[in-house]
Amino acid sequence: MDLAKELQKETNELLNINRDIARAWLRKVIRPPIQNICAETKLDLYLTKPDDEEDKGNNRRRSSIANIFKRKKGQSVTKEELNEKLMKLKVRVKGILSAIHESTPPFKATDMMPKPLLQFLRRLSSETRHFPLDYFFPNERVVFNISMLGEVQNMNDSQARVFVLNYVFVRTLVMELILSPWEYGLTRKKVPPASVVKNLATVASIVYLHVLDAIQIDFPGYKEEEKVVEGLLDKDQREFIATAISGWRTPHQRIVYDWSCNVIRDTDEKEIAVKKANIEVDDDESVKTP
């Protein structure tokens, strides 16, 4: 038992050290889009149900989601306004995802993923390790065979992808850098206006959705856990967003998934170039309005 605790402590120290490395790297990579969101205080990325056919004499029945997202009188949003918001969100979210994707081998970028972090993630996912008992999210516990002492034996590639996605994208990118950039050196050291916080929560919710989509390629039954990530939009709002962005969920899912593949294994540059070309075919797609 004492040996297991020592091994858990060792793993925890490695996790914390490399989270610091991951934060420092991601700060450089995502600084432009995050600073843009924080600087534009009049920017409104919060998605609401379009009211262009509001009631029509109150004879038209509205869905439960429509009622949830119905704004106060005088604050309705048209389909055109919703489409404009979706396009702005698409540009910013893809900017974040692509910047991270292209800062990881085999791509060449100015702010490449640090080799120590890359080596740590590859080594950790190929070794038997004892993790702190409270480390894993409830939905991660379904993926990994975790002993009562926190031991996780050699992960297969699918499990390794889940680990690196939650470690880098969820625990570091979403939970820290997007939801609270002012606390991690991305913006001024003060909480921004409520409108900016709401915009950040919208972007974070979409990135989190893309991570779930990527994980579900290998684990179709993988579900999000309520209250795992504090600060996201509530479940009803995220369900509406999932429908609203249906036109570009798959291309973004592939960016996230391919990134996780590159992290856990060396991949031939030619193969990645082909994948990248396939990913970017969505650029001319129209944004679908629910």
Side-chain angles (χ1 to χ4, degrees):
M1 183 68 75
D2 290 339
L3 176 59
K5 287 183 178 179
E6 284 299 317
L7 293 172
Q8 289 170 10
K9 181 179 178 182
E10 177 186 313
T11 300
N12 193 48
E13 289 174 353
L14 287 171
L15 290 167
N16 290 335
I17 290 170
N18 283 277
R19 277 278 291 283
D20 289 340
I21 297 173
R23 283 190 205 99
W25 163 59
L26 288 171
R27 272 201 304 266
K28 296 177 184 178
V29 173
I30 68 166
R31 187 181 299 276
I34 294 299
Q35 287 189 338
N36 170 267
I37 293 170
C38 292
E40 294 189 38
T41 55
K42 293 184 180 180
L43 180 68
D44 182 9
L45 300 176
Y46 185 69
L47 300 181
T48 53
K49 189 77 174 177
D51 290 332
D52 59 318
E53 296 183 2
E54 180 100 32
D55 293 332
K56 289 186 177 179
N58 295 321
N59 291 327
R60 182 169 175 258
R61 294 183 62 187
R62 301 179 61 85
S63 68
S64 58
I65 289 184
N67 287 323
I68 290 169
F69 289 97
K70 184 177 176 181
R71 288 184 173 186
K72 295 179 181 178
K73 188 175 181 180
Q75 292 183 314
S76 62
V77 58
T78 65
K79 284 187 177 180
E80 289 74 20
E81 290 170 331
L82 177 59
N83 245 357
E84 183 180 350
K85 288 186 181 185
L86 287 169
M87 187 57 68
K88 290 178 179 178
L89 277 167
K90 179 182 178 181
V91 169
R92 286 162 174 79
V93 170
K94 185 174 181 181
I96 292 171
L97 299 182
S98 295
I100 296 171
H101 184 243
E102 294 171 13
S103 297
T104 306
F107 297 110
K108 308 294 183 184
T110 304
D111 298 309
M112 287 298 291
M113 185 180 193
K115 285 185 179 179
L117 175 61
L118 184 61
Q119 292 167 350
F120 164 74
L121 292 172
R122 287 179 176 174
R123 188 176 68 251
L124 196 69
S125 60
S126 63
E127 298 176 340
T128 296
R129 279 278 176 182
H130 286 74
F131 287 81
L133 297 179
D134 61 351
Y135 175 77
F136 290 103
F137 297 139
N139 49 8
E140 285 179 301
R141 292 184 173 277
V142 178
V143 172
F144 304 110
N145 299 316
I146 308 170
S147 75
M148 293 181 63
L149 299 178
E151 182 184 58
V152 177
Q153 297 188 355
N154 298 9
M155 302 178 193
N156 59 36
D157 283 2
S158 297
Q159 292 171 322
R161 281 190 284 270
V162 175
F163 179 82
V164 299
L165 283 171
N166 278 320
Y167 184 77
V168 175
F169 268 82
V170 177
R171 288 180 169 87
T172 310
L173 177 66
V174 171
M175 294 175 68
E176 296 179 343
L177 300 183
I178 298 181
L179 285 174
S180 304
W182 57 91
E183 292 184 4
Y184 296 96
L186 278 164
T187 61
R188 293 179 180 177
K189 275 276 186 181
K190 68 174 185 178
V191 180
S195 59
V196 173
V197 173
K198 188 178 288 187
N199 287 340
L200 291 168
T202 302
V203 171
S205 298
I206 293 174
V207 172
Y208 183 57
L209 175 63
H210 291 326
V211 174
L212 293 174
D213 286 342
I215 291 175
Q216 287 168 0
I217 291 177
D218 291 322
F219 297 94
Y222 189 90
K223 304 295 184 183
E224 76 168 288
E225 294 285 342
E226 284 299 303
K227 300 182 180 178
V228 163
V229 182
E230 297 289 340
L232 295 180
L233 301 179
D234 65 39
K235 186 176 180 180
D236 289 326
Q237 291 167 313
R238 295 201 306 277
E239 286 179 353
F240 173 69
I241 287 174
T243 301
I245 68 171
S246 61
W248 37 278
R249 278 178 71 174
T250 299
H252 288 189
Q253 173 198 45
R254 295 303 310 184
I255 294 176
V256 176
Y257 186 80
D258 282 356
W259 175 86
S260 68
C261 293
N262 295 342
V263 169
I264 66 168
R265 291 283 183 272
D266 287 315
T267 310
D268 180 74
E269 285 195 42
K270 184 177 180 181
E271 180 186 349
I272 290 297
V274 172
K275 287 183 179 179
K276 184 171 182 287
N278 289 338
I279 287 168
E280 293 182 345
V281 297
D282 76 308
D283 284 347
D284 294 328
E285 288 182 358
S286 61
V287 179
K288 294 182 180 179
T289 303

